Structure formats: structure tokens, C-alpha cells
């Protein structure tokens, strides 16, 4: 059975279409205990997961590689929203020079991908992250509306008019408001699954 590892999974948006298929085994890692009831979710710290995975490999254990890793690191420090740390810094300093967001979670994600060597991987974040992710990941692989994607994955065919508006996802009084706003819509997860399912490589013809 194919496996998908969903890091910073939130409500599990990226892996939801995969979870509805009988052909995929799902593992979601999320650190917010309020999301513990989301199916297939393990409440755990991704950095700690990276460190333990590294130790397992050093000890001679070879972990199974998932077919795909998807990751949406928290975007607060990269957001262009008016009340975000980045925007506040820019208003107070008239520049973004010197603004230094924490890249620990992106670095941990890259380490996990490097150790597990999945066939496909995808890292998603907001438009405001581009300035900080590009020196590490290069140019975005694909941009779908306000979702900026880096990685090794087949081109996703998707009509951006089918994306829900940000306002429609905003649960203003919920303690999980940021998770609702960040949730990947099911139709985008479905488009990713379809792009992987129908991808052909030279090895498929041998």
C-alpha cells in the first residue's frame, strides 16, 4: 500500500483525498492537541520527529519511505496579513531588511525529506514566504492562487476559480481559526492525487 506522510497536517487537507482512497496509508503529524480527533493524526513535534528519525538511521534502522511527503509549515511569520509579525515589522521599520523569520520548521522538513527519500514531495506556504524560501528551495515549482508550492511532484491541473475564498474559510471565533484558514481544500488534494496517479515515468514502461 502506498504511504503519504502529512507534516503540520492541521485538518489533514493535503492528504484528505488520499485518505478517501483504499490504496493509501495515511500518517499525519500535528502538534496542536485540539486536532487530535482528526483521523490518522499523531500529536507530535516535527522537529522531535526529525531528530528521532535521524537517530534511528544512525542506529542502523532503515525506515520505510513514503510515496509522498506533503508539508505546510506554519505561515504566521511569513504572512502578509496586516497583523502578522512581518507586516508589523515592516510598518515599524519602513523595510523588511533585518526581518529574520524562524526557519527551523522548514529546515526540519527538508531534513525529513532527505532522510526518507520519497518519490514525491511538496512543501506549501503563503505568498509572503517566497522571499525566504527561495534561497533554500529555489523558485516555486507551481503557484495555485494563494498557495505557493515547492517540490518534486507532477504538475497539478487545477482551476484557481475553484478555490474557496479566504473569507469563506475564516472561523473568526474558533480557537482553530488559523487552521481553518490554512486548510487545503479537498478539490486541491484531489488534483494532487490525480496528478500522482496518472504520472508516468520511464520505469512504468519497462
Amino acid at each position: 500500500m502506498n504511504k503519504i506522510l502529512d507534516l503540520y497536517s492541521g485538518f489533514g487537507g493535503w492528504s484528505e483525498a488520499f485518505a478517501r482512497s483504499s490504496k493509501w496509508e495515511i500518517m499525519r503529524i500535528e502538534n496542536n492537541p485540539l486536532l487530535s480527533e482528526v483521523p490518522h493524526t499523531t500529536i507530535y513535534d516535527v522537529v522531535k520527529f526529525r531528530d528521532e528519525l535521524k537517530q534511528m538511521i544512525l542506529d542502523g534502522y532503515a525506515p520505510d519511505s513514503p510515496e509522498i511527503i506533503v508539508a505546510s509549515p506554519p505561515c504566521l511569520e511569513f504572512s502578509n496579513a496586516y497583523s502578522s509579525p512581518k507586516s508589523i515589522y515592516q510598518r515599524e521599520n519602513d523595510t523588511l531588511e533585518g526581518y529574520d523569520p524562524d526557519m527551523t520548521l522548514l529546515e526540519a522538513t527538508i531534513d525529513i525529506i532527505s532522510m526518507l527519500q520519497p518519490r514525491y514531495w511538496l512543501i506549501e506556504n503563503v505568498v509572503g514566504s517566497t522571499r525566504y524560501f527561495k534561497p533554500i528551495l529555489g523558485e516555486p515549482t507551481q503557484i495555485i492562487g494563494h498557495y505557493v508550492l515547492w517540490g518534486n511532484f507532477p504538475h497539478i491541473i487545477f482551476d484557481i476559480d475553484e478555490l474557496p475564498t479566504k473569507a469563506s474559510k475564516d472561523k473568526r471565533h474558533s480557537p482553530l481559526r488559523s487552521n481553518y484558514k490554512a486548510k487545503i481544500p479537498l478539490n486541491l488534494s484531489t488534483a494532487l492525487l490525480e496528478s500522482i496517479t496518472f504520472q508516468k515515468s520511464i520505469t512504468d514502461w519497462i
Side-chain angles (χ1 to χ4, degrees):
M1 181 176 290
N2 292 323
K3 298 179 180 179
I4 178 170
L5 174 60
D6 189 345
L7 303 175
Y8 321 99
S9 54
F11 284 109
W14 270 124
S15 52
E16 184 59 28
F18 297 79
R20 298 186 183 201
S21 167
S22 61
K23 298 179 180 180
W24 289 83
E25 180 180 336
I26 317 301
M27 181 178 182
R28 294 168 172 156
I29 296 180
E30 168 60 46
N31 71 348
N32 188 340
L34 295 177
L35 293 161
S36 61
E37 298 302 314
V38 176
H40 312 290
T41 296
T42 298
I43 300 300
Y44 208 60
D45 179 77
V46 169
V47 174
K48 186 178 292 187
F49 175 73
R50 184 271 313 272
D51 293 343
E52 293 183 356
L53 182 62
K54 184 181 296 184
Q55 187 59 53
M56 288 167 59
I57 293 172
L58 288 174
D59 291 341
Y61 175 75
D64 291 338
S65 295
E67 180 78 355
I68 180 170
I69 294 176
V70 290
S72 292
C75 64
L76 177 62
E77 293 194 52
F78 309 109
S79 172
N80 292 329
Y82 183 82
S83 60
S84 71
K86 179 182 173 186
S87 295
I88 292 171
Y89 182 95
Q90 188 169 25
R91 289 197 300 275
E92 292 177 347
N93 297 277
D94 296 321
T95 180
L96 280 173
E97 294 301 322
Y99 181 68
D100 189 23
D102 187 358
M103 307 299 286
T104 301
L105 296 182
L106 176 62
E107 292 164 357
T109 303
I110 294 169
D111 288 343
I112 292 168
I113 292 168
S114 177
M115 287 186 284
L116 291 180
Q117 292 290 302
R119 183 176 184 184
Y120 304 112
W121 60 272
L122 180 154
I123 296 174
E124 177 270 335
N125 219 275
V126 295
V127 172
S129 69
T130 307
R131 175 189 183 108
Y132 305 98
F133 282 28
K134 276 175 62 175
I136 301 171
L137 296 173
E139 293 289 342
T141 306
Q142 190 172 356
I143 299 175
I144 301 175
H146 49 270
Y147 299 103
V148 185
L149 314 177
W150 286 266
N152 174 37
F153 55 90
H155 183 80
I156 300 171
I157 300 174
F158 192 85
D159 183 352
I160 63 171
D161 291 335
E162 296 180 4
L163 289 174
T165 64
K166 290 184 179 181
S168 70
K169 299 198 300 178
D170 192 355
K171 309 293 185 181
R172 187 169 297 276
H173 302 295
S174 171
L176 293 170
R177 182 188 183 192
S178 62
N179 297 98
Y180 278 109
K181 292 175 69 175
K183 184 180 179 182
I184 302 299
L186 176 58
N187 54 358
L188 184 51
S189 171
T190 301
L192 173 63
L193 174 57
E194 290 175 350
S195 72
I196 289 173
T197 300
F198 297 109
Q199 167 77 358
K200 292 292 184 181
S201 70
I202 189 63
T203 57
D204 294 316
W205 299 100
I206 297 176

